[in-house]
Amino acid sequence: MQSLLNKKIVLGISGGIAAYKTPELARQLMQEGASVQVVMTEAATQFVTPVTMQALTGNPVYTSQWDSSISNNMAHIELSRAADAIVIAPASADLMAKLSLGLADDLLSTLCLARDCPLLLVPAMNKQMWEHAATQRSVKRLEQDKVTLLGPASGFQACGEVGMGRMLEPSEIAEQVIAFFQKKTLLGKKVLITAGPTFEAIDPVRGITNHSSGKMGFAIARAAVEAGAQVQLIAGPCDLATPLEATGKIARTNVTSAREMHLAVLNDADYDIFFAVAAVADWGIAKPSKEKIKRQGKDAPSIEFIANPDILLDVAKTVKTKGGKPYPYCVGFAAESTDLEAHAAEKRQRKGIPMVVGNIGHETFGSDLNQLLVVDETGSKKIAKAEKLQLARQLITLVAKKI
Ligand code: C5P
């Protein structure tokens, strides 16, 4: 699935050492289906060449407002009218100051002033320059002018210092550009999500877990942030990266056992939607051994299980109504080996929740693809096989309508 299909992006580059990462950004935007038109300041050409950018994007690169190759010689108007967004990475302190004042003394700044499309800036500069009162004034003015700033991040800088001002990584920028274009159906809403498996320790080296990869829960977390929500993600053991982490719109708590997950969920309050996506172990180990259990000849040890708390059921018990709607709106998940529809409907009744989403088929574990069966008060409907992120976006749209 390409999330930027048919999108036309003007990719601006200003003069900063982080420009060495911009070719990779161009590639990632194009891999998502965008067409990329590069415009560079003169200073940017000291860091990355127009030839590189032209070869990667397949489009001529513009560096001067005096370029006569555009037929009416009005590149600043032509390029902005054709674009769905202008993304500038890196955006230097100088360029940000210029844009905040409405100055237009080269092609890129003129293009920004003449635009009728959104402008996204990805700042990159030394931490002293970022913290300078003048730059912070530029930031405030740009935000007042509805310019979107992506980052900066904190960390190791090319100058050898450590601090705020690092450009986001190309993958983080691409993720945020994709998010920018998604519908904001959950703006201002808070969403709690459990994801991944749990691990029930038998002793310090052994335990019981399941095949859940966490991919569906993480995809829902990404889709919820894309839709404008603030997300709390409670993840069992899985090595997936937190989606859209650099937005600050997602907080992640890592847990191991079902009991830890239960505590982490109940510790949270006041959220609009709860997605219980985690494959929680039904049973924990009654007395996990503090030492590794040694082999005793041919005898196998017997392990006593205890029932784990039902996290979703306990959240469902706290549901109130707000504006005539259930609060939080609870969505359960079902992975069954037989009779999915009947089991999902039974789960919905038993837990007293408005929606259960069934995973159709078993190949969903670890796969990027899935197929869903949504069971709610209106009956059941299938969501056709697609990438988990695409399904997650459809699910978010569906639930946003319910609340
Ligand atoms: O039928 P079952 O109780 O396993 O229902 C599965 C749903 O309940 C899933 O949404 C799962 O995340 C949630 N669940 C839970 N706590 C448990 C077991 C399941 O939240 N202990």
Side-chain angles (χ1 to χ4, degrees):
M1 175 196 47
Q2 292 181 305
S3 296
L4 293 174
L5 207 58
N6 301 324
K7 292 279 183 267
K8 294 191 178 73
I9 293 177
V10 167
L11 179 57
I13 313 177
S14 63
I17 181 58
Y20 84 92
K21 293 182 178 174
T22 311
E24 176 58 26
L25 172 62
R27 278 179 63 86
Q28 292 197 17
L29 295 174
M30 289 167 65
Q31 272 162 13
E32 290 291 343
S35 67
V36 173
Q37 171 61 65
V38 172
V39 176
M40 300 172 73
T41 64
E42 202 188 329
T45 63
Q46 299 289 325
F47 295 95
V48 60
T49 74
V51 175
T52 304
M53 298 312 299
Q54 179 169 357
L56 285 176
T57 60
N59 287 318
V61 170
Y62 297 104
T63 55
S64 161
Q65 73 263 48
W66 313 122
D67 189 329
S68 57
S69 62
I70 287 198
S71 52
N72 64 1
N73 214 342
M74 291 198 195
H76 59 294
I77 307 286
E78 293 285 306
L79 295 175
S80 105
R81 294 300 173 271
D84 291 296
I86 301 175
V87 178
I88 304 184
S92 65
D94 174 67
L95 182 75
M96 286 172 62
K98 260 186 352 195
L99 298 182
S100 77
L101 294 173
L103 296 179
D105 63 355
D106 64 4
L107 179 59
L108 187 55
S109 52
T110 310
L111 185 57
C112 290
L113 199 60
R115 79 184 192 277
D116 64 355
C117 65
L119 173 60
L120 289 80
L121 299 182
V122 194
M125 64 199 73
N126 163 267
K127 67 172 182 156
Q128 230 75 32
M129 293 171 82
W130 173 254
E131 283 160 10
H132 196 288
T135 305
Q136 289 307 309
R137 270 198 304 275
S138 306
V139 169
K140 279 208 190 75
R141 281 211 196 95
L142 289 163
E143 283 172 347
Q144 280 164 8
D145 291 348
K146 305 267 180 295
V147 171
T148 301
L149 266 69
L150 310 182
S154 181
F156 187 75
Q157 302 201 303
C159 52
E161 295 182 1
V162 178
M164 201 64 167
R166 265 184 103 229
M167 189 167 88
L168 297 182
E169 293 302 324
S171 60
E172 294 174 311
I173 302 168
E175 210 183 18
Q176 290 205 41
V177 172
I178 290 167
F180 180 84
F181 285 112
Q182 298 300 315
K183 286 209 177 78
K184 303 296 167 224
T185 52
L186 290 182
L187 208 57
K189 301 291 181 200
K190 282 180 70 182
V191 176
L192 180 66
I193 301 169
T194 63
T198 62
F199 180 91
E200 309 296 319
I202 295 172
D203 67 19
V205 293
R206 305 182 183 94
I208 293 176
T209 186
N210 59 63
H211 284 307
S212 170
S213 64
K215 284 183 179 173
M216 193 66 216
F218 276 59
I220 290 174
R222 177 171 172 180
V225 177
E226 287 180 341
Q230 183 72 41
V231 171
Q232 173 70 49
L233 175 64
I234 300 184
C238 56
D239 55 7
L240 298 177
T242 308
L244 287 163
E245 194 171 18
T247 59
K249 293 277 193 72
I250 183 163
R252 173 176 179 173
T253 306
N254 289 325
V255 296
T256 304
S257 67
R259 275 161 202 276
E260 280 174 31
M261 189 174 272
H262 183 248
L263 279 179
V265 167
L266 294 194
N267 197 25
D268 239 283
D270 280 342
Y271 42 89
D272 299 272
I273 309 169
F274 176 47
F275 285 99
V277 198
V280 186
D282 291 319
W283 311 285
I285 311 299
K287 289 189 197 102
S289 170
K290 287 200 173 59
E291 310 291 338
K292 184 182 172 192
I293 301 170
K294 295 274 177 250
R295 204 137 60 99
Q296 290 156 356
K298 285 187 178 157
D299 292 341
S302 56
I303 295 169
E304 191 190 336
F305 288 98
I306 46 164
N308 275 332
D310 188 324
I311 303 167
L312 178 53
L313 190 67
D314 284 354
V315 172
K317 284 182 197 154
T318 70
V319 170
K320 303 179 224 56
T321 48
K322 199 173 174 183
K325 307 261 171 79
Y327 178 89
Y329 187 91
C330 291
V331 182
F333 276 71
E336 301 290 337
S337 44
T338 56
D339 238 341
L340 179 64
E341 188 164 353
H343 283 300
E346 180 275 327
K347 244 178 251 251
R348 188 177 162 266
Q349 290 296 332
R350 172 163 49 88
K351 305 215 187 203
I353 55 174
M355 184 183 286
V356 169
V357 179
N359 294 301
I360 300 174
H362 297 293
E363 85 276 27
T364 65
F365 283 125
S367 162
D368 287 329
L369 295 171
N370 204 356
Q371 195 178 353
L372 301 177
L373 182 78
V374 178
V375 181
D376 63 10
E377 74 286 355
T378 62
S380 67
K381 76 165 185 202
K382 271 189 190 166
I383 308 188
K385 192 167 189 166
E387 281 183 25
K388 287 180 176 172
L389 179 57
Q390 210 170 345
L391 295 173
R393 286 179 183 149
Q394 292 179 67
L395 205 55
I396 290 291
T397 305
L398 212 74
V399 173
K401 281 188 194 141
K402 301 277 188 189
I403 65 163

